[in-house]
Amino acid sequence: MARQNTAAILARLRSMLEAQGMTPGAKLPDERALSAALGCSRQTLRQALFTLESEGAIWRHVGQGTFVGPRPPGRPIREAVLLQATSPLQLMQARLIIEPPVAAEAARMATSADLDRLRRLVAEGRRDRSRAECERHDAAFHRAVAEIARNPILLGLLDYLAGARRRAAWQQQWDRTYRRIGASEFTGLHCDQHAAVVEAMAGRNDLRSEDAMRRHLEVIAQAIEASA
């Protein structure tokens, strides 16, 4: 059924591009407006847009939008093309390579205000009662650690990896993991591990911070693998 829905939306998108006579370089409406106009979910819309992009009918740039025609020379391949080919476990492997050293750098750079912010995020996370809330606070915590490291290149790279969480494959795997462990246990474990990262950072111990972040991500990776 999902394939039929995607195929129907893809056909409607093709008709829209032809009917409106949009010239190369013209910008399409944003995803929210397009999904509303087509009467589909944003996930279905993204699958259709990915097909069009693979064909060279459109090109997309994060933060700028979706444009008609093939990608102009010199433009990098859109990040989503890589993420579409990435499994949840491959994503976690990449995070394990990158995020622990980022936590170590954050420990060296953190101010009292930074640590207070992280502690607030941990406290808010402990009150989560749904998968969506848990995921939102988890993402906010990891991004805050990257921000504290004060390196825009690292922050951009981690934002890029975080984009994979919107993919259907990640969401499905995450849902299975969350259901298998249980909401209260998962939230408590998550927040305890986040708190351990914060306290290591508060002690200005970069090696402990790196180790705490690594152990946290390893637990997530193991849980995902067990639910696969």
Side-chain angles (χ1 to χ4, degrees):
M1 185 66 177
R3 286 194 296 270
Q4 293 175 352
N5 287 341
T6 301
I9 296 304
L10 180 58
R12 292 181 64 185
L13 276 171
R14 294 188 201 280
S15 297
M16 183 188 77
L17 293 176
E18 293 174 4
Q20 296 184 10
M22 301 180 78
T23 58
K27 186 176 181 178
L28 272 64
D30 62 28
E31 286 186 0
R32 186 184 300 276
L34 267 179
S35 60
L38 295 169
C40 67
S41 69
R42 294 177 74 173
Q43 180 60 41
T44 298
L45 174 65
R46 289 185 187 122
Q47 292 171 351
L49 290 173
F50 178 73
T51 298
L52 289 177
E53 185 175 20
S54 301
E55 296 172 352
I58 61 170
W59 64 279
R60 313 185 75 192
H61 192 285
V62 175
Q64 294 185 22
T66 303
F67 303 87
V68 175
R71 180 176 298 277
R75 292 278 185 175
I77 296 175
R78 182 176 175 254
E79 292 90 340
V81 174
L82 177 59
L83 290 180
Q84 286 286 342
T86 302
S87 73
L89 284 175
Q90 287 171 329
L91 170 66
M92 290 308 304
Q93 182 183 32
R95 292 183 65 187
L96 274 162
I97 293 170
I98 298 168
E99 289 196 55
V102 171
E105 181 63 18
R108 291 187 283 267
M109 302 293 293
T111 65
S112 295
D114 291 329
L115 295 170
D116 287 344
R117 177 189 175 195
L118 291 176
R119 290 188 179 109
R120 283 196 301 273
L121 287 171
V122 173
E124 291 169 2
R126 291 193 187 280
R127 296 193 290 271
D128 291 342
R129 292 296 178 267
S130 70
R131 191 197 76 175
E133 291 173 339
C134 177
E135 192 169 357
R136 183 168 63 252
H137 277 116
D138 179 65
F141 178 85
H142 285 272
R143 193 178 201 283
V145 172
E147 289 174 348
I148 292 167
R150 291 172 173 78
N151 185 315
I153 297 174
L154 290 173
L155 180 60
L157 180 58
L158 292 176
D159 278 346
Y160 165 57
L161 293 177
R165 295 187 183 206
R166 296 189 293 270
R167 290 179 56 231
W170 171 269
Q171 290 294 328
Q172 291 164 3
Q173 188 66 61
W174 190 244
D175 186 59
R176 286 195 294 269
T177 303
Y178 191 81
R179 290 177 183 276
R180 187 181 67 83
I181 296 176
S184 59
E185 181 180 349
F186 192 89
T187 300
L189 178 64
H190 234 53
C191 292
D192 288 346
Q193 292 172 348
H194 284 176
V197 173
V198 178
E199 294 317 305
M201 290 172 59
R204 306 298 175 187
N205 191 319
D206 54 344
L207 293 179
R208 268 189 59 210
S209 301
E210 182 171 349
D211 185 58
M213 181 63 81
R214 180 177 294 107
R215 282 187 281 112
H216 169 52
L217 294 174
E218 284 173 346
V219 168
I220 298 174
Q222 289 164 6
I224 290 174
E225 187 171 17
S227 301

